[in-house]
Amino acid sequence: MTSQQAAADRTPWGLVFLLGALTAFAPMSIDMYLPSLPAIGADLGATAAQTQGTVAAFFAGMAIGQFFYGPASDRFGRRGPILFGVVIYVAASIACALSTSGDMLIAARFVQALGGCAGGVVARAVVRDRFNHTETARMLSLLTLIMGLAPILAPMLGGVLLTLGGWRLNFWVLALFGLACGAATLLWLQESRSDETAAQAASENPIRAYLALLRQPRLVGYALAGALNGATLFTYISASPDLLIGTYGISPSHFGWVFGLNAAAVIGASQVNRYLLRRSTPDQVLARASSAAVLAAIALAFAAVSGFGERWSVLPLLFVLLASYGFMQGNTMAGALNVDPRRSGSVSALMGGASFGVGALAASLSGAFHDGTPRPMAIVMALAVIGSAAALRTLALPRRAQA
């Protein structure tokens, strides 16, 4: 029918699954070992702070590492940085499995993230290499579908592996996952970096590239809008065990189902986004989704502060708010990549690094004010979503017509 619909019918599913697997390094590495945290602490004699530090170390590695792989993929091509990252990831996963202390595991997790972040950064750049603005947004929504299965399946798989072989088996499986992704990249991923991108990268160092990107208000607007909206997901991941199990009394055996249901909200929204993009531009979807997210966040904050309805109001509103992530992330990423396609690797790194950095800050802020209620989580989420909408409307969208 339309050219966009015809493009949808030619979806390269092999590429989608490969890139989806590469972007799944982070959720697989985070969510699969969460059920093992108590066992890790007991086996290594680690304190609660050390076991939580293994999560924080991974977030830090993800935030930092992306800033290296983005410019490297622009300068040296897409395949090489992925394979380099996979080697680091596999080696660090083995080190995690062989760890003998909490501090050793923290260090290994940091290095594991430094390797694992390569896949996500370069996968997004590959999408922009091959598709236009709207199709990039649709492809990123498909990647969210693949990546979004990890928060649903990984905790369940992690629980099974814990039962079968202890917590170390999780990391041996992650090492095998890394090897499989590396082999698939080597065999099937074709180089997609354009000559224009290569020439641009050769003419400037990474610092100059990032400074050039930060001087573009529209790109900064997309980055802030995506990162601040994504902070809701990071805050939820951090707060959900205590909120669901400690505050609302949901049994640990049922925790994975509730956690997975909210992950399904993200997946479902990302697929609705694909169909909306057949009739609307990514920016039009962003404007509506950000407004809906603000309303949901304000309602969630009111329910949490007032105590009205308790879990029966907080959890459904949380579901709605987290669903906005499925509309915001692919479209903000596509918008940013469209601002400066010549630096797509660096743009992808900037967006990813900002997401993990802002997300970790929001989660830490919520944890610092923890009081055994959903109030800190809900207030942090509301402030983040309002900031996201403000950045979108004051920096990104008003300049859309100038693109």
Side-chain angles (χ1 to χ4, degrees), residues 341-361:
R342 296 175 304 168
R343 300 184 177 98
S344 55
S346 297
V347 171
S348 176
L350 184 64
M351 293 289 286
S355 178
F356 272 90
V358 172
L361 178 62

Side-chain angles (χ1 to χ4, degrees), residues 5-239:
Q5 207 160 352
D9 294 335
R10 297 192 302 271
T11 299
W13 287 106
L15 179 66
V16 169
F17 283 113
L18 174 54
L19 297 182
L22 292 173
T23 60
F25 274 107
M28 284 285 289
S29 303
I30 295 168
D31 299 325
M32 199 167 85
Y33 94 124
L34 286 179
S36 300
L37 285 179
I40 290 173
D43 186 42
L44 298 180
T47 65
Q50 285 178 314
T51 57
Q52 290 299 319
T54 64
V55 180
F58 192 87
F59 283 152
M62 289 293 296
I64 294 169
Q66 298 192 54
F67 290 105
F68 295 95
Y69 290 108
S73 72
D74 285 342
R75 189 173 189 120
F76 303 112
R78 309 306 188 197
R79 285 162 45 90
I82 293 177
L83 295 172
F84 180 78
V86 165
V87 170
I88 294 175
Y89 179 86
V90 170
S93 296
I94 294 173
C96 288
L98 299 176
S99 292
T100 56
S101 69
D103 289 339
M104 181 178 175
L105 183 59
I106 289 173
R109 286 284 286 172
F110 178 77
V111 177
Q112 185 188 40
L114 289 180
C117 66
V121 173
V122 183
R124 295 189 293 264
V126 170
V127 171
R128 187 58 186 89
D129 291 340
R130 295 172 179 265
F131 301 97
N132 63 28
H133 184 186
T134 298
E135 283 303 308
T136 293
R138 295 187 73 252
M139 283 292 294
L140 291 173
S141 293
L142 278 175
L143 296 191
T144 301
L145 170 63
I146 307 299
M147 184 180 67
L149 292 173
I152 297 175
L153 301 178
M156 300 177 190
L157 176 59
V160 171
L161 293 174
L162 178 63
T163 302
L164 291 177
W167 65 269
R168 298 178 190 275
L169 184 57
N170 281 277
F171 292 107
W172 289 113
V173 170
L174 288 174
L176 291 175
F177 174 72
L179 284 172
C181 289
T185 298
L186 187 63
L187 294 173
W188 294 306
L189 184 64
Q190 298 179 358
E191 184 57 58
S192 61
R193 181 194 56 163
S194 68
D195 292 338
E196 185 179 16
T197 294
Q200 180 67 43
S203 69
E204 61 185 4
N205 61 51
I207 295 177
R208 284 185 59 192
Y210 284 124
L211 290 175
L213 295 177
L214 290 173
R215 286 194 291 267
Q216 302 185 57
R218 283 186 57 230
L219 192 146
V220 173
Y222 284 123
L224 288 175
L228 286 167
N229 178 271
T232 61
L233 187 62
F234 281 85
T235 304
Y236 165 70
I237 291 172
S238 175

